[in-house]
Amino acid sequence: MSRGPEFVCAGCGTRVDPSRALPFQCPGAVDADDIDHVLTPRLDLSDVGFPESPDPDPFVGYRRLMVPWHLATSQGMSDPDYVALVRELDAALIEVDGRGFRRTPLTWVQALDAWVKDETGNVSGSHKGRHLMGAMLTLRVMEALDLPMARGLRERPLAIASCGNAALAAAVIARAARWPIDVFIPPDASASVVARLQELEARVHVCRRTDDTPGDPCVHAFGAAVAAGSVPFGVQGPANALSIEGGQT
């Protein structure tokens, strides 16, 4: 059994135990305190080597380097059971989007005189889904283990503020996990993205700018939803610390 992960805020030092609390936003954050509150995972990797021939699914291949695996195994879940959990969600992604997460190609492009990493073959067509897959796996582990913070969690919708492609990624993963999601998008979001969001049964909220609200209206609406109990499921680190690790795959 591995030692459980811990999160520490890079801005204020607040510690969060993900076996006892949801590690999304720093609980020590205060509006306008001019501190960058981002929870950062601390993992015990003393007995973990970097995989030499990882599984084609990065969330299986690199699992021992990630929060959800450490959380799962520290709470008694076996490694085979964890892999089965990842495979189950991957199969659902293939059913919803026609593809799961796999290694993406690194190609030399002579015209650019550079190596190019092509992420367009990812789930939903961008790298954003990778960020959110790591977050969803952590949520699924909490559910599978019936941890205290997971009780009633399904009754809380996911929420994301996005110009379009991150919302699409979030909606694909939410649909695969059978989890309701609210997406907050601007009026000029691509019509094709909006149509796909509706196909995925995401609840679409178009947020228009008003003179009396400074900043991004989508972010304001997202913040209000989270304050009302929604689970932050975006790709910004201060709002969802779990999104950073998935992108590292």
Side-chain angles (χ1 to χ4, degrees), residues 4-5 28 48 63 65 69 80 85 105 123 131 133-134 142-143 145 155 173 179 183 187-188 193 200-201 209 212 224:
V48 178
R63 66 190 181 280
L65 303 175
W69 184 86
L85 183 150
V123 169
H131 295 269
M133 179 66 165
M142 291 174 173
E143 284 190 311
L145 293 170
E155 299 170 10
I173 293 173
W179 205 305
V183 299
D188 58 353
V193 169
L200 294 165
E201 298 183 1
R209 189 174 300 281
D212 58 348

Side-chain angles (χ1 to χ4, degrees), residues 31-225:
D31 287 343
D33 64 2
D34 200 29
I35 297 174
D36 291 328
H37 293 274
V38 180
L39 292 179
T40 305
R42 302 282 178 86
L43 303 176
D44 179 10
L45 301 178
S46 57
D47 296 326
V48 178
F50 195 83
E52 295 182 3
S53 300
D55 190 277
D57 181 341
F59 292 95
V60 173
Y62 301 117
R63 66 190 181 280
R64 297 174 188 270
L65 303 175
M66 304 185 72
V67 166
W69 184 86
H70 282 265
L71 176 61
T73 55
S74 70
Q75 296 296 312
M77 182 182 289
S78 70
D79 180 64
D81 284 347
Y82 178 80
V83 171
L85 183 150
V86 180
R87 301 283 193 211
E88 179 184 13
L89 187 53
D90 184 72
L93 286 169
I94 293 172
E95 183 177 346
V96 170
D97 198 56
R99 52 194 162 183
F101 290 102
R102 300 295 182 268
R103 300 180 198 176
T104 50
L106 183 66
T107 307
W108 177 259
V109 178
Q110 188 63 46
L112 299 175
D113 192 31
W115 290 96
V116 172
K117 194 76 159 70
D118 183 1
E119 299 289 342
T120 60
N122 268 312
V123 169
S124 81
S126 78
H127 66 91
K128 300 293 179 65
R130 287 179 178 262
H131 295 269
L132 297 167
M133 179 66 165
M136 179 53 72
L137 285 172
T138 303
L139 293 173
R140 289 290 296 112
V141 164
M142 291 174 173
E143 284 190 311
L145 293 170
D146 194 27
L147 296 179
M149 84 290 288
R151 292 163 195 167
L153 194 56
R154 280 275 172 171
E155 299 170 10
R156 299 168 58 183
L158 307 175
I160 183 171
S162 165
C163 293
N165 63 341
L168 185 57
V172 167
I173 293 173
R175 178 66 180 271
R178 299 180 177 86
W179 205 305
I181 185 169
D182 291 294
V183 299
F184 300 94
I185 59 174
D188 58 353
S190 167
S192 61
V193 169
V194 174
R196 180 59 174 151
L197 288 171
Q198 292 169 338
E199 288 177 2
L200 294 165
E201 298 183 1
R203 297 188 297 232
V204 178
H205 306 269
V206 177
C207 303
R208 302 184 183 279
R209 189 174 300 281
T210 60
D211 293 336
D212 58 348
T213 304
D216 187 338
C218 301
V219 173
H220 282 287
F222 162 80

